[in-house]
Amino acid sequence: MPLVHDAIVIGAGPGGGSAAWHLARRGHSVLVIEKQLLPRYKPCGGGVGPEVRGWFDIDFTPAVSAMVDAVRYTWNMGERVDAPLELREPLWMVRRDEFDHHLITHAVNQGATLRTGESVQSIARDGGRWTVTTDQGVHHARLLIGADGAKGQTAKWLGLAKREVVIGGAIEIEVNAPVPEPNVAHFEFGMVNNGYLWNFPKKDCHSIGIGAWGQKSVDLRTPLAAYTRYFGLSMDGVKQHGHPLLLWQGNSTLHADGAMLCGEAAGIVDPFTAEGIRPSLFTGMLAAEAAAAWFTGDAHALAAYSERVANEHGRDMKWAARVAKAFYAMPRLAYSVGITRPSATRTMGRLLTGEIKWHEVAPRALARLVSPRSLLS
Ligand SMILES: Cc1cc2nc3c(=O)[nH]c(=O)nc-3n(C[C@H](O)[C@H](O)[C@H](O)COP(=O)(O)OP(=O)(O)OC[C@H]3O[C@@H](n4cnc5c(N)ncnc54)[C@H](O)[C@@H]3O)c2cc1C
């Protein structure tokens, strides 16, 4: 008889690591299949809200590279605005090779089995059991969790590829150089339409990047190079890493017979901030909870997962999408009268750390953005 795991998780990013940790923690046998060797690089700014700590019994301190408690905004590299975030605790800046490896190592410590350097090629369901074929063999499980990110195939294989998302593109570079203000995150809004540039601090390294959504054939490299020079740094000899982003645009079905999607494979990225790590950790946790219920015979548990993601994440993403639409329709005005207000900075910081949620603040923010009179008041 072949070994049949309770669950196979495809992908060992934050979504897969979270699902695996929560499943293993409950005593379920879980196999994680990751096509890359770990630790692996992932293009990402690495901003993570410390809210996530409450979802795990893990000390994330060794995987946090820097802590941010202030931001600096610019418009076309001018009109600089410095603002303290005034948070209960600072925003984490992580390097994804370290952070993702830390999480999956803890999942393994809980009992998960990890196979790296092994790529899933196809999946098949027969007799209530999954057969997952990789470039190295076959594996079996009762349940499948697709956590294979924006470029993964599991959504397509499950017939769930038509998620409500807008595809964005982003480039990240890591420039190894001392960071003069390791507590400051930089955002630049005037150099790209429907997106922004960032320079996030890491230990002895700048994560500089650019993201833009909903447009085709945008030149991201020229503004990225100019923004890098703005910090007295150079892109010469630095590898540029492009990656798609699946930004939430509406609730989608995230489950199939004996299967779920979590993380960016589920299209959960915040359409205003492009934040995806925290939502991936969150949906990985919810998927594991749903799996545990399903294993006990709750036939509705996987459908309930789709509903729960819609209710608890989609509810906020709906507001984030509205704010993004209003903001990017008139970014110049929104920058000068909205973003640079001290109260807006405090709100954004509290959103990113998880102290508050979009549905609590977006109606008021939208009223300001769409009403010129309130913008000027
Ligand atoms: C440039 C850039 C900057 C970003 N900055 C931020 C930020 O500052 N903060 C934030 O919160 N979010 C940010 N994001 C978004 C964030 O990086 C993603 O949303 C997040 O990585 C999604 O996590 P995940 O676990 O779903 O997928 P991933 O992290 O992409 O992990 C998926 C894993 O699945 C593996 N895989 C894929 N296919 C297979 C297969 N067939 N077999 C086996 N394994 C497979 C991959 O190798 C990968 O390791 C950024 C994204 C980009 C592109």
Side-chain angles (χ1 to χ4, degrees):
M1 283 287 286
L3 174 64
V4 181
H5 301 273
D6 286 339
I8 289 177
V9 176
I10 306 178
S18 174
W21 187 86
H22 282 283
L23 278 167
R25 174 94 166 156
R26 286 179 161 79
H28 294 294
S29 63
V30 50
L31 170 66
V32 183
I33 306 175
E34 166 57 54
K35 71 178 177 187
Q36 297 201 47
L37 295 172
L38 303 180
R40 62 97 175 85
Y41 170 81
K42 158 78 175 70
C44 188
V48 184
E51 176 193 20
V52 305
R53 193 181 29 225
W55 304 339
F56 301 87
D57 182 14
I58 294 176
D59 177 11
F60 282 103
T61 317
V64 177
S65 186
M67 302 254 196
V68 159
D69 62 11
V71 290
R72 181 166 300 142
Y73 305 118
T74 49
W75 179 272
N76 272 334
M77 298 181 283
E79 296 181 45
R80 177 179 138 171
V81 177
D82 288 283
L85 287 169
E86 296 179 16
L87 299 165
R88 280 204 291 267
E89 54 180 324
L91 188 63
W92 297 353
M93 292 288 148
V94 307
R95 296 184 80 148
R96 292 292 304 279
D97 49 352
E98 297 170 352
F99 184 82
D100 294 11
H101 194 230
H102 188 71
L103 176 58
I104 201 68
T105 301
H106 276 270
V108 170
N109 292 344
Q110 291 291 337
T113 303
L114 173 66
R115 294 181 67 98
T116 61
E118 181 164 346
S119 174
V120 174
Q121 309 288 302
S122 66
I123 57 173
R125 185 153 175 84
D126 187 23
R129 193 176 85 172
W130 287 102
T131 298
V132 173
T133 303
T134 73
D135 52 0
Q136 293 171 37
V138 292
H139 306 281
H140 304 281
R142 295 159 65 197
L143 182 92
L144 184 73
I145 297 182
D148 45 353
K151 296 200 278 189
Q153 297 293 303
T154 310
K156 193 175 83 185
W157 294 332
L158 291 173
L160 301 174
K162 288 207 174 98
R163 288 143 303 161
E164 294 292 331
V165 292
V166 159
I167 299 186
I171 303 176
E172 197 235 359
I173 58 171
E174 286 190 339
V175 184
N176 291 320
V179 180
E181 295 168 293
N183 65 321
V184 179
H186 302 255
F187 294 92
E188 157 58 49
F189 289 99
M191 293 164 70
V192 62
N193 290 330
N194 280 326
Y196 63 88
L197 293 101
W198 70 86
N199 181 357
F200 288 172
K202 306 287 160 64
K203 191 171 182 297
D204 298 323
C205 168
H206 300 247
S207 160
I208 305 179
I210 180 167
W213 7 106
Q215 323 161 67
K216 285 189 179 142
S217 317
V218 192
D219 172 21
L220 299 180
R221 292 179 199 283
T222 307
L224 180 63
Y227 192 52
T228 305
R229 284 195 299 275
Y230 172 69
F231 293 97
L233 303 168
S234 164
M235 276 176 39
D236 291 349
V238 177
K239 194 160 166 33
Q240 298 173 34
H241 301 272
H243 203 279
L245 276 160
L246 300 185
L247 301 170
W248 187 96
Q249 285 298 304
N251 293 321
S252 308
T253 299
L254 302 177
H255 69 283
D257 183 20
M260 287 173 280
L261 298 175
C262 72
E264 198 163 338
I268 44 63
V269 175
D270 184 307
F272 184 62
T273 62
E275 183 194 10
I277 301 171
R278 191 164 45 128
S280 295
L281 296 168
F282 182 64
T283 51
M285 176 175 69
L286 296 196
E289 285 176 22
W294 189 76
F295 291 139
T296 63
D298 178 355
H300 182 64
L302 306 191
Y305 165 73
S306 289
E307 289 162 18
R308 203 170 159 200
V309 174
N311 291 336
E312 296 184 26
H313 183 65
R315 173 187 61 169
D316 284 302
M317 293 304 97
K318 185 175 74 181
W319 286 109
R322 287 176 181 162
V323 171
K325 194 171 167 200
F327 180 90
Y328 292 120
M330 44 177 187
R332 182 72 188 86
L333 185 63
Y335 179 78
S336 51
V337 203
I339 277 272
T340 57
R341 294 168 69 98
S343 62
T345 297
R346 282 197 298 274
T347 300
M348 188 50 65
R350 293 174 69 203
L351 275 167
L352 289 172
T353 53
E355 285 178 27
I356 51 171
K357 301 292 173 188
W358 272 115
H359 72 270
E360 298 171 70
V361 291
R364 193 171 143 83
L366 269 175
R368 284 197 179 283
L369 281 171
V370 299
S371 157
R373 192 140 50 110
S374 71
L375 277 170
L376 297 171
S377 68

PDB file of all heavy atoms in Angstrom, residues 60-61 91 157 173 178 183 223 234 265 271 342:
ATOM      1  N   PHE A  60       9.523  34.657  15.855  1.00  0.00           N
ATOM      2  CA  PHE A  60       9.972  35.094  14.531  1.00  0.00           C
ATOM      3  C   PHE A  60      11.191  36.030  14.605  1.00  0.00           C
ATOM      4  O   PHE A  60      11.705  36.432  13.570  1.00  0.00           O
ATOM      5  CB  PHE A  60       8.832  35.823  13.799  1.00  0.00           C
ATOM      6  CG  PHE A  60       7.801  34.897  13.213  1.00  0.00           C
ATOM      7  CD1 PHE A  60       6.570  34.722  13.824  1.00  0.00           C
ATOM      8  CD2 PHE A  60       8.062  34.196  12.039  1.00  0.00           C
ATOM      9  CE1 PHE A  60       5.611  33.874  13.282  1.00  0.00           C
ATOM     10  CE2 PHE A  60       7.106  33.343  11.489  1.00  0.00           C
ATOM     11  CZ  PHE A  60       5.887  33.181  12.112  1.00  0.00           C
ATOM     12  N   THR A  61      11.627  36.375  15.823  1.00  0.00           N
ATOM     13  CA  THR A  61      12.696  37.365  15.957  1.00  0.00           C
ATOM     14  C   THR A  61      13.915  37.063  15.073  1.00  0.00           C
ATOM     15  O   THR A  61      14.432  37.974  14.400  1.00  0.00           O
ATOM     16  CB  THR A  61      13.143  37.475  17.432  1.00  0.00           C
ATOM     17  OG1 THR A  61      11.995  37.481  18.253  1.00  0.00           O
ATOM     18  CG2 THR A  61      13.964  38.726  17.664  1.00  0.00           C
ATOM     19  N   LEU A  91       6.784  47.879  12.329  1.00  0.00           N
ATOM     20  CA  LEU A  91       6.533  46.978  11.194  1.00  0.00           C
ATOM     21  C   LEU A  91       7.798  46.151  10.952  1.00  0.00           C
ATOM     22  O   LEU A  91       8.902  46.675  10.986  1.00  0.00           O
ATOM     23  CB  LEU A  91       6.246  47.862   9.980  1.00  0.00           C
ATOM     24  CG  LEU A  91       5.777  47.247   8.680  1.00  0.00           C
ATOM     25  CD1 LEU A  91       4.439  46.559   8.844  1.00  0.00           C
ATOM     26  CD2 LEU A  91       5.669  48.345   7.612  1.00  0.00           C
ATOM     27  N   TRP A 157      -5.078  23.601 -12.572  1.00  0.00           N
ATOM     28  CA  TRP A 157      -5.348  22.167 -12.508  1.00  0.00           C
ATOM     29  C   TRP A 157      -6.663  21.870 -11.793  1.00  0.00           C
ATOM     30  O   TRP A 157      -7.347  20.903 -12.122  1.00  0.00           O
ATOM     31  CB  TRP A 157      -4.208  21.444 -11.787  1.00  0.00           C
ATOM     32  CG  TRP A 157      -2.888  21.473 -12.515  1.00  0.00           C
ATOM     33  CD1 TRP A 157      -2.685  21.570 -13.863  1.00  0.00           C
ATOM     34  CD2 TRP A 157      -1.588  21.411 -11.911  1.00  0.00           C
ATOM     35  NE1 TRP A 157      -1.333  21.570 -14.139  1.00  0.00           N
ATOM     36  CE2 TRP A 157      -0.648  21.467 -12.971  1.00  0.00           C
ATOM     37  CE3 TRP A 157      -1.116  21.315 -10.606  1.00  0.00           C
ATOM     38  CZ2 TRP A 157       0.739  21.423 -12.746  1.00  0.00           C
ATOM     39  CZ3 TRP A 157       0.248  21.261 -10.387  1.00  0.00           C
ATOM     40  CH2 TRP A 157       1.161  21.310 -11.445  1.00  0.00           C
ATOM     41  N   ILE A 173      15.155  44.750  -6.453  1.00  0.00           N
ATOM     42  CA  ILE A 173      16.603  44.533  -6.408  1.00  0.00           C
ATOM     43  C   ILE A 173      17.039  44.620  -4.957  1.00  0.00           C
ATOM     44  O   ILE A 173      16.423  45.316  -4.150  1.00  0.00           O
ATOM     45  CB  ILE A 173      17.390  45.568  -7.263  1.00  0.00           C
ATOM     46  CG1 ILE A 173      17.090  46.995  -6.795  1.00  0.00           C
ATOM     47  CG2 ILE A 173      17.076  45.408  -8.741  1.00  0.00           C
ATOM     48  CD1 ILE A 173      17.991  48.033  -7.429  1.00  0.00           C
ATOM     49  N   PRO A 178      25.334  49.695   3.476  1.00  0.00           N
ATOM     50  CA  PRO A 178      24.802  50.103   4.770  1.00  0.00           C
ATOM     51  C   PRO A 178      23.530  50.938   4.611  1.00  0.00           C
ATOM     52  O   PRO A 178      23.414  51.724   3.671  1.00  0.00           O
ATOM     53  CB  PRO A 178      25.931  50.952   5.371  1.00  0.00           C
ATOM     54  CG  PRO A 178      27.156  50.544   4.626  1.00  0.00           C
ATOM     55  CD  PRO A 178      26.717  50.124   3.260  1.00  0.00           C
ATOM     56  N   ASN A 183      15.340  52.302  10.392  1.00  0.00           N
ATOM     57  CA  ASN A 183      13.954  52.291  10.895  1.00  0.00           C
ATOM     58  C   ASN A 183      12.989  53.019   9.949  1.00  0.00           C
ATOM     59  O   ASN A 183      11.833  53.221  10.293  1.00  0.00           O
ATOM     60  CB  ASN A 183      13.882  52.973  12.269  1.00  0.00           C
ATOM     61  CG  ASN A 183      14.229  54.451  12.171  1.00  0.00           C
ATOM     62  OD1 ASN A 183      15.130  54.821  11.419  1.00  0.00           O
ATOM     63  ND2 ASN A 183      13.519  55.290  12.892  1.00  0.00           N
ATOM     64  N   PRO A 223      12.394  54.070 -14.209  1.00  0.00           N
ATOM     65  CA  PRO A 223      12.172  54.704 -12.906  1.00  0.00           C
ATOM     66  C   PRO A 223      12.893  54.000 -11.769  1.00  0.00           C
ATOM     67  O   PRO A 223      13.357  54.657 -10.833  1.00  0.00           O
ATOM     68  CB  PRO A 223      10.646  54.646 -12.719  1.00  0.00           C
ATOM     69  CG  PRO A 223      10.090  53.844 -13.827  1.00  0.00           C
ATOM     70  CD  PRO A 223      11.128  53.701 -14.887  1.00  0.00           C
ATOM     71  N   SER A 234      23.628  52.204  -6.985  1.00  0.00           N
ATOM     72  CA  SER A 234      23.649  51.893  -8.414  1.00  0.00           C
ATOM     73  C   SER A 234      23.085  50.495  -8.651  1.00  0.00           C
ATOM     74  O   SER A 234      23.246  49.583  -7.826  1.00  0.00           O
ATOM     75  CB  SER A 234      25.099  51.948  -8.912  1.00  0.00           C
ATOM     76  OG  SER A 234      25.195  51.322 -10.159  1.00  0.00           O
ATOM     77  N   ALA A 265      -1.712  32.151  -4.599  1.00  0.00           N
ATOM     78  CA  ALA A 265      -2.433  31.281  -5.539  1.00  0.00           C
ATOM     79  C   ALA A 265      -3.933  31.546  -5.458  1.00  0.00           C
ATOM     80  O   ALA A 265      -4.667  31.318  -6.417  1.00  0.00           O
ATOM     81  CB  ALA A 265      -2.136  29.819  -5.233  1.00  0.00           C
ATOM     82  N   PRO A 271      -4.973  45.131  -3.023  1.00  0.00           N
ATOM     83  CA  PRO A 271      -4.870  45.878  -4.290  1.00  0.00           C
ATOM     84  C   PRO A 271      -4.386  47.315  -4.120  1.00  0.00           C
ATOM     85  O   PRO A 271      -4.113  47.987  -5.109  1.00  0.00           O
ATOM     86  CB  PRO A 271      -6.298  45.856  -4.832  1.00  0.00           C
ATOM     87  CG  PRO A 271      -7.166  45.604  -3.658  1.00  0.00           C
ATOM     88  CD  PRO A 271      -6.356  44.833  -2.650  1.00  0.00           C
ATOM     89  N   PRO A 342      -0.550  63.741   8.322  1.00  0.00           N
ATOM     90  CA  PRO A 342      -0.031  62.889   9.404  1.00  0.00           C
ATOM     91  C   PRO A 342      -1.018  61.799   9.805  1.00  0.00           C
ATOM     92  O   PRO A 342      -0.634  60.667  10.078  1.00  0.00           O
ATOM     93  CB  PRO A 342       0.211  63.878  10.546  1.00  0.00           C
ATOM     94  CG  PRO A 342       0.385  65.207   9.878  1.00  0.00           C
ATOM     95  CD  PRO A 342      -0.460  65.171   8.644  1.00  0.00           C
TER      96      PRO A 342
END
